[in-house]
C-alpha cells in the first residue's frame, strides 16, 4: 500500500496480526482476519490463506480500515 508519512511517499505492507500460515475454517476466530502494517516488506511473512471455496471462483476481497476499530478484511466468493 502506498501512503504518505511526513510529506513523503512510502510503501507499506499489510499482513496478519496473528502471524498465521494456515487457511481459516468455520471455527476460526475473528482475529484471523485482523490486519496490521508490517514492520518489513516481505513476500512470505504474515500472509493469509483463503478457504477452498474461493479456488477458481471470482471473489470479492474487502479491506476494512477504521480508525477506532481493528483493521480487518472480508473474503466473499461470488
Amino acid at each position: 500500500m502506498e501512503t504518505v508519512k511526513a510529506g513523503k511517499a512510502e510503501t507499506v505492507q499489510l499482513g496478519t496480526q496473528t502471524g498465521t500460515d494456515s487457511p481459516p475454517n468455520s471455527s476460526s476466530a475473528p482475529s484471523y482476519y485482523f490486519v496490521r502494517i508490517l514492520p518489513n516488506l516481505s513476500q512470505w511473512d504474515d500472509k493469509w490463506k483463503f478457504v477452498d471455496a474461493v479456488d477458481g471462483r471470482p471473489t470479492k476481497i474487502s479491506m476494512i480500515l477504521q480508525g477506532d476499530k481493528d483493521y480487518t478484511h472480508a473474503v466473499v466468493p461470488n
Side-chain angles (χ1 to χ4, degrees), residues 29-75:
S31 61
Y32 179 90
Y33 298 94
F34 289 174
V35 177
R36 69 183 174 115
I37 295 174
L38 301 179
N40 301 305
L41 299 179
S42 169
Q43 174 178 336
W44 304 109
D45 299 328
D46 299 309
K47 63 199 172 300
W48 295 277
K49 304 240 175 146
F50 295 133
V51 294
D52 292 340
V54 303
D55 290 349
R57 297 181 64 188
T59 302
K60 179 180 178 180
I61 301 171
S62 301
M63 296 296 291
I64 304 141
L65 308 175
Q66 304 170 93
D68 61 343
K69 296 181 178 107
D70 288 313
Y71 289 1
T72 189
H73 77 287
V75 178

